[in-house]
Amino acid sequence: MAELLRAHRGQKILVFTPDNETAYTIARDHLVMPLTCDIERKERAAALDLFRNGELTVLVSSRVLNEGLDVPEASVAIVVGGSQGEREHVQRVGRILRPAPGKRAIIYELVATGTAEVDQAARRRAGLGRRRNAQRLSA
């Protein structure tokens, strides 16, 4: 995590975690802003405004950022843990794929080697490819 945050310093980064405990651990270890259901809407909205205007460059969340959020300013996603399903993964990836001038989206998925997460991540990646190809054919 530290290496990725360093490599993308100054870029807008969204970190997605499988649970609040992991989100708070990352927030504490890397001094970044957590956004969880435990944080009141008003404070979450303020953090998103700071993210949009560049005062915050990293947000870490377990599920709050999955749906109904448009942050085209974000260009890097770090997905921690591969336990979520394809739909949730698509939602998370969609946060980063929002168009913005000159933007190039980068998505990392961190999984533990030797676990079922590796196969799940490969299936999700394959699913994204199928979705993209289906969209091209219907256009």
Side-chain angles (χ1 to χ4, degrees):
M1 180 65 64
E3 187 176 317
L4 290 174
L5 293 176
R6 255 191 315 279
H8 295 286
R9 183 167 304 193
Q11 293 176 281
K12 305 258 180 91
I13 303 169
L14 297 177
V15 179
F16 298 99
T17 67
D19 53 60
N20 285 352
E21 182 180 347
T22 305
Y24 287 123
T25 298
I26 290 170
R28 193 173 39 255
D29 290 352
H30 301 284
L31 301 176
V32 298
M33 179 68 187
L35 284 185
T36 69
C37 59
D38 299 332
I39 296 172
E40 293 184 25
R41 286 182 191 267
K42 187 175 178 179
E43 187 177 351
R44 289 194 314 243
L48 286 168
D49 286 343
L50 293 172
F51 183 77
R52 286 184 177 107
N53 74 28
E55 291 179 58
L56 287 177
T57 58
V58 181
L59 296 174
V60 58
S61 175
S62 59
R63 302 221 189 280
V64 170
L65 297 175
N66 283 0
E67 292 187 53
L69 179 69
D70 191 25
V71 282
E73 303 83 5
S75 60
V76 178
I78 303 171
V79 180
V80 179
S83 60
Q84 78 274 10
E86 187 178 329
R87 181 176 182 268
E88 185 175 14
H89 186 70
V90 167
Q91 290 169 334
R92 289 175 169 193
V93 168
R95 299 303 122 224
I96 297 301
L97 296 180
R98 299 284 196 260
K103 177 178 171 178
R104 179 173 179 249
I106 299 172
I107 302 164
Y108 297 95
E109 186 170 8
L110 307 181
V111 296
T113 57
T115 68
E117 289 181 346
V118 176
D119 291 336
Q120 289 171 340
R123 281 193 302 275
R124 280 191 300 276
R125 234 180 353 268
L128 287 173
R130 285 190 304 272
R131 283 176 183 267
R132 186 178 64 205
N133 290 334
Q135 288 172 343
R136 282 188 201 153
L137 292 174
S138 67

